[in-house]
Amino acid sequence: MDPRVERIYAAADYIKGILSAKGLQPTVGIILGSGLGKLADNIENPTVIPYKEIPGFPVSTAIGHKGNFIIGQLGGKTVMAMQGRIHYYEGYPMEMVTLPTRVMVVVGIKYLFVSNAAGGVNFNYHVGDLMIIKDHIGHIPNPLIGKNMDEFGPRFPDMTRPYDLNLIKRAEAIAAEEGIPVQKGTYFAGTGPTYETPAEYKYIRIIGGDATGMSTVPEVIIARHMGVPVFGMSVITNEAHDDYAEDYVNDGDDVVVAANAAADKMTVIFKRLIESL
């Protein structure tokens, strides 16, 4: 067997063993970005599985990422939340960056919800805004490069609709009912770990990006490769424009603070969207 596939099944079997003993079968996977781990606090009757205890699993080192799977009840469904993701800039190969997504699908999730903290390059976006991701532009190496794992999906998966149109419509309706303003735009993913230069922000805006970050696209590609519908949301944590004052500095701690402030609104939308499934 392909050693990559063996690693995926070994990790999934370990998790299944813990969950089956408790009668848990998650149907929704959630990936929580920088500063957004507090959504996990809303998961009822949580079972916590630290990444470091899972065989062959990478450990998250990014600011605001605790590095746990949280399995429990949210929106009347059993969910499996990643309290912190793995990033390419941490030095992991793309196989390891996307390992958690593959594992969640093998464990049995039927939907994937992804979130991230992002800079708003669209001039109409402001700190604290929520953006429903309608499409993305990936400047991170594609995680499907290399020998295809035929057990999981086709060599050339279609990415015409990477984010599920029905889930987007439901989320927009929920946001309107809750009185939560939302943007809808295109997410640009770069490798990081540096924040972009003003010229790069301008470039991203010109080519069609509305928000920019360092994640999400690899996990979405893997979910779509495995046939799982995806819903994505960005929290705008800084105005990523190209007309800064001379003393302006992008700060990672500020990003986490801004994400935390908006996480409650995102939780409302995620919870009700999960209820609707």
Side-chain angles (χ1 to χ4, degrees), residues 158-181:
D158 176 43
M159 291 294 287
T160 306
R161 288 170 291 278
Y163 302 88
D164 188 79
L165 298 181
N166 184 46
L167 293 176
I168 290 173
K169 289 177 183 176
R170 291 190 202 179
E172 288 181 294
I174 290 166
E177 290 170 9
E178 295 287 346
I180 300 173

Side-chain angles (χ1 to χ4, degrees), residues 12 52-53 68 90 136 140 156 159 177 200 255 263 271:
K52 63 184 180 181
E53 295 180 1
N68 299 314
E90 294 175 76
H136 67 230
I140 300 179
F156 302 107
M159 291 294 287
E177 290 170 9
E200 287 169 337
V255 166
K271 186 175 182 178

Side-chain angles (χ1 to χ4, degrees), residues 21-60:
K22 299 188 176 187
L24 294 172
Q25 176 53 62
T27 57
V28 180
I30 306 173
I31 301 177
L32 300 171
S34 299
L36 298 169
K38 64 182 287 189
L39 182 146
D41 296 339
N42 288 268
I43 296 175
E44 299 173 354
N45 303 313
T47 293
V48 180
I49 305 176
Y51 298 160
K52 63 184 180 181
E53 295 180 1
I54 303 171
F57 220 74
V59 177
S60 178

Side-chain angles (χ1 to χ4, degrees), residues 7 79 94 103 111 113 119 128 149 152 172 187 222 266 276:
R7 184 179 295 111
V79 303
M94 197 56 73
V103 168
Y111 299 89
F113 286 36
M149 289 186 268
F152 298 136
E172 288 181 294
Y187 176 81
I222 291 303
M266 189 187 76
S276 75

